[in-house]
């Protein structure tokens, strides 16, 4: 059967999605963005990927977060997105913020990794071809390269914007001092850093402790959080053991030994608190991030439309009492 043409929902901006200004820029980002790290590669169903992308856009998610090596296999998430861009999203391109990154392993040899000018520019050219795009809205340096002069990496970002291949640039997972160098260098060349992307969730608060979130705000830079559910730990999925097919059962990104009895006990207590708030544990975990105005957007992953629907439910309640915040901290510090 031929799939019917896609027409975006007329009410896509009338629902519960909220938008927040990204740093000092003119860009508003949805509080929830969709990440294509997993479940959109060539090992996954194209139909399911298409359904999730359509559902996201129909519900006000306008930012789609990719990288050159997302899949699996490498590049295939961008290829999936490119196919859907051609078949259904093309009329809505100007309503979307599409991002990609380069910095991690992508192809063999000395020029397919890290932060050289050659790698960043070659990678973006490949990404644009895979996604059937003339430009991306945000191009990230995916990680800091300690072996390449920071000026080389940053000047490549500047030139990418000047060439019209990206409208804005960002950095991801850069350490504090290097991030400040990036903010200064890019601002001095009229290509200010738009956004910092970092790992952040209730369990992993390193970007709070090392000052990265506050630093971004002080420099007029937005912050977007990835891994908001700690690879699925901050959901109800592991409360009754390790399900077959889950990330912990595979053991590649989430080791089963991390799910200790002590951690499960904490998750049970957090789940009870979420229930008192009328939320699932995943919804409360996302809402906990969104309570902070310094967090511009939170990147959610999904394997199904139903998971996306549950995640979107977090927007119904993103406020916490001081008692609730104290209880969360006490649970996690026990």
């Amino acid at each position: 059967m031929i799939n019917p043409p896609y027409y975006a929902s007329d009410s896509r901006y009338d629902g519960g999605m909220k938008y927040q200004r990204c740093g000092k820029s003119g860009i508003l980002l949805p509080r929830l963005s969709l990440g294509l790290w997993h479940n959109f590669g060539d090992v996954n169903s194209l139909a399911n990927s298409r359904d999730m992308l359509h559902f996201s856009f129909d519900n006000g998610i306008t930012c789609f977060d990719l990288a050159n090596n997302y899949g699996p296999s490498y590049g295939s998430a961008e290829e999936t997105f490119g196919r859907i861009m051609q078949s259904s999203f093309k009329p809505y391109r100007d309503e979307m913020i599409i991002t990609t990154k380069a910095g991690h392993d992508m192809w063999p040899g000395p020029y397919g990794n890290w932060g050289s000018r050659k790698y960043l520019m070659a990678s973006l050219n490949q990404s644009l071809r895979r996604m059937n795009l003339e430009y991306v809205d945000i191009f990230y340096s995916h990680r800091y390269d300690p072996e390449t002069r920071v000026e080389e990496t940053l000047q490549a970002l500047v030139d990418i914007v000047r060439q019209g291949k990206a409208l804005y640039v960002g950095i991801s997972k850069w350490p504090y001092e290097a991030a400040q160098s990036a903010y200064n260098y890019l601002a001095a060349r009229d290509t200010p850093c738009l956004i910092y992307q970092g790992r952040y969730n209730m369990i992993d608060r390193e970007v709070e402790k090392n000052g990265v979130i506050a630093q971004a705000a002080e420099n007029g830079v937005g912050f977007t959080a990835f891994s908001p559910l700690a690879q699925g730990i901050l959901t109800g999925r592991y409360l009754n053991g390790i399900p077959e097919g889950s990330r912990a059962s595979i053991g590649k990104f989430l080791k089963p030994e991390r799910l200790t009895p002590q951690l499960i006990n904490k998750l049970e207590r957090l789940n009870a608190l979420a229930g008192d708030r009328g939320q699932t544990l995943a919804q409360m975990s996302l809402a906990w991030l969104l309570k902070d105005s310094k967090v511009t957007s939170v990147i959610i992953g999904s394997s199904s439309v139903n998971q996306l629907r549950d995640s979107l439910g977090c927007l119904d309640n993103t406020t916490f009492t001081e008692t609730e915040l104290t209880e969360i901290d006490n649970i996690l510090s026990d």
Side-chain angles (χ1 to χ4, degrees):
M1 184 176 70
I2 298 175
N3 288 315
Y6 170 70
Y7 298 103
S9 170
D10 290 336
S11 61
R12 57 189 177 276
Y13 300 119
D14 300 330
M17 183 55 66
K18 298 175 178 62
Y19 301 85
Q20 181 159 309
R21 188 161 303 282
C22 189
K24 292 183 178 179
S25 76
I27 288 295
L28 298 173
L29 289 182
R31 298 309 309 278
L32 296 179
S33 299
L34 181 65
L36 280 74
W37 180 30
H38 291 298
N39 303 313
F40 293 86
D42 55 17
V43 301
N44 304 107
S45 161
L46 177 63
N48 190 48
S49 297
R50 182 178 58 243
D51 289 347
M52 288 191 289
L53 286 164
H54 288 177
F55 180 85
S56 297
F57 189 59
D58 285 343
N59 284 274
I61 293 179
T62 55
C63 183
F64 301 98
D65 183 79
L66 296 105
N68 56 357
N69 63 355
Y70 284 1
S73 59
Y74 286 178
S76 61
E78 290 182 329
E79 290 174 349
T80 295
F81 190 86
R83 292 179 67 177
I84 295 166
M85 174 57 64
Q86 285 294 92
S87 65
S88 55
F89 272 176
K90 194 170 184 178
Y92 307 101
R93 170 66 182 97
D94 291 340
E95 297 183 38
M96 298 177 177
I97 298 291
I98 301 169
T99 85
T100 196
K101 316 176 195 73
H104 286 282
D105 174 54
M106 182 59 190
W107 62 81
Y111 315 121
N113 207 340
W114 293 104
S116 71
R117 177 183 182 89
K118 178 174 177 61
Y119 172 49
L120 296 181
M121 290 193 159
S123 178
L124 179 54
N125 287 336
Q126 293 176 18
S127 292
L128 293 175
R129 288 194 294 269
R130 284 191 289 266
M131 292 192 287
N132 292 304
L133 297 175
E134 295 180 355
Y135 68 93
V136 291
D137 297 279
I138 307 172
F139 181 66
Y140 287 92
S141 167
H142 206 170
R143 62 172 170 173
Y144 173 68
D145 181 353
E147 301 298 327
T148 297
R149 291 177 64 247
V150 69
E151 293 84 0
E152 178 176 339
T153 299
L154 296 173
Q155 189 59 43
L157 299 182
V158 171
D159 291 342
I160 281 167
V161 171
R162 291 176 179 172
Q163 291 171 1
K165 294 179 179 179
L167 301 185
Y168 303 90
V169 292
I171 57 176
S172 177
K173 300 177 295 187
W174 280 44
Y176 184 93
E177 291 185 2
Q180 190 60 57
S181 296
Y183 300 152
N184 295 342
Y185 187 98
L186 294 170
R189 286 151 183 83
D190 299 319
T191 311
C193 184
L194 177 75
I195 195 163
Y196 184 106
Q197 186 174 130
R199 179 183 288 105
Y200 188 29
N201 55 63
M202 284 198 294
I203 295 174
D204 187 344
R205 305 190 193 182
E206 184 61 27
V207 291
E208 279 182 17
K209 299 173 184 175
N210 63 19
V212 161
I213 291 182
Q215 178 192 41
E218 291 163 3
N219 283 272
V221 175
F223 180 91
T224 186
F226 73 86
S227 195
L229 301 179
Q231 301 289 334
I233 290 176
L234 290 169
T235 69
R237 191 164 199 190
Y238 298 108
L239 292 175
N240 298 303
I242 299 177
E244 186 68 27
S246 65
R247 288 186 185 178
S249 70
I250 298 169
K252 183 175 181 181
F253 296 104
L254 175 59
K255 303 298 183 183
E257 55 266 26
R258 188 176 177 191
L259 297 167
T260 64
Q262 293 81 4
L263 178 57
I264 297 300
N265 176 261
K266 293 178 181 181
L267 296 177
E268 290 171 344
R269 293 162 65 190
L270 289 172
N271 189 55
L273 175 58
D276 292 340
R277 287 171 48 84
Q279 294 179 312
T280 65
L281 176 55
Q283 288 171 341
M284 185 180 76
S285 300
L286 295 172
W288 182 88
L289 291 167
L290 293 173
K291 77 185 186 310
D292 188 344
S293 62
K294 292 190 292 295
V295 176
T296 313
S297 186
V298 172
I299 299 170
I300 56 173
S302 182
S303 61
S304 69
V305 166
N306 284 336
Q307 279 189 1
L308 280 172
R309 186 178 288 110
D310 182 76
S311 294
L312 285 165
C314 77
L315 298 169
D316 295 335
N317 183 10
T318 59
T319 60
F320 289 78
T321 67
E322 287 301 321
T323 299
E324 288 172 330
L325 292 175
T326 299
E327 184 174 354
I328 288 171
D329 288 344
N330 289 340
I331 291 171
L332 291 171
S333 62
D334 279 350

